[in-house]
Amino acid sequence: MYLSKRNRLGMAVVSVAAGAGLALAGLAPTAAAGSQHVIDGRGNPTNDWGDEGNLSRTSYSHSNATRLWQTILWADGAKYKGSDGKWRKFTKGDIDGHFGPRTKSATKYWQQTEGLHIDGIVGKQTFSLADDFLDHVGNNKIEYTGYDHQAGFKRLNGVYYVKIDGHWKKAAYNWAN
């Protein structure tokens, strides 16, 4: 069930009115960070991520880039299937930078909800659709309009940043924290 940004925003407003609350804040254009491969943040935010690398259980499975993706899953209220077979919502506590079974299951749920090929891998098609819901809101801040929450990122000098323990960290593929 693919929804437009406008419909997502309407759902987010309803969620807030129902007491769901808002998410993180902050964004900034990305800058090439030496030898660190990072989520690129140059250009229009709604066309930022379609050329990104894959995130999966075997590709960059422990990274801040994974934290960025997990933030999207949380914002959209994605669900994962627990070991008991029950569906549970992906929570802020699940944002840990590890692309484990919960993240893979929640990614499949997200892909199914959005009408994409379901493989549990965050590749070009998945990233490309997610960036359709990004907006530049000023002062290097990018906001993701999720079904359940708004999520904030920074873009600084062409690099995306994700908030970790109250601090902005580069959304790098090859390191976490």
Side-chain angles (χ1 to χ4, degrees), residues 33-67:
S35 65
Q36 300 165 354
H37 182 190
V38 296
I39 302 279
D40 183 34
R42 291 175 285 220
N44 183 339
T46 60
N47 193 17
D48 254 1
W49 296 346
D51 58 352
E52 291 300 327
N54 290 348
L55 296 174
S56 69
R57 298 219 38 208
T58 58
S59 295
Y60 308 107
S61 61
H62 179 67
S63 67
N64 289 344
T66 294
R67 284 183 190 263

Side-chain angles (χ1 to χ4, degrees), residues 9-166:
L9 186 55
M11 288 179 73
V13 169
V14 168
S15 292
V16 170
L22 297 176
L24 313 167
L27 348 110
T30 321
S35 65
Q36 300 165 354
H37 182 190
V38 296
I39 302 279
D40 183 34
R42 291 175 285 220
N44 183 339
T46 60
N47 193 17
D48 254 1
W49 296 346
D51 58 352
E52 291 300 327
N54 290 348
L55 296 174
S56 69
R57 298 219 38 208
T58 58
S59 295
Y60 308 107
S61 61
H62 179 67
S63 67
N64 289 344
T66 294
R67 284 183 190 263
L68 179 140
W69 175 249
Q70 290 171 326
T71 302
I72 299 301
L73 294 174
W74 167 77
D76 275 336
K79 294 180 181 179
Y80 65 90
K81 192 177 272 191
S83 57
D84 60 1
K86 294 183 181 176
W87 288 97
R88 294 180 170 81
K89 269 202 173 184
F90 201 85
T91 68
K92 270 190 168 184
D94 293 316
I95 302 171
D96 61 4
H98 297 279
F99 204 110
R102 287 182 182 181
T103 302
K104 181 176 181 174
S105 180
T107 299
K108 286 181 173 183
Y109 178 94
W110 192 93
Q111 290 169 327
Q112 181 177 8
T113 300
E114 298 298 335
L116 298 176
H117 172 71
I118 303 165
D119 59 7
I121 296 170
V122 184
K124 293 182 185 324
Q125 185 183 32
T126 300
F127 262 134
S128 184
L129 183 59
D131 74 14
D132 289 352
F133 303 100
L134 294 173
D135 278 313
H136 184 257
V137 294
N139 295 328
N140 298 323
K141 295 180 182 181
I142 302 293
E143 193 167 80
Y144 180 85
T145 302
Y147 289 114
D148 285 3
H149 308 280
Q150 300 291 105
F153 302 104
K154 277 186 159 187
R155 285 191 334 163
L156 224 37
N157 301 319
V159 175
Y160 266 88
Y161 286 74
V162 62
K163 204 164 210 177
I164 302 170
D165 298 326

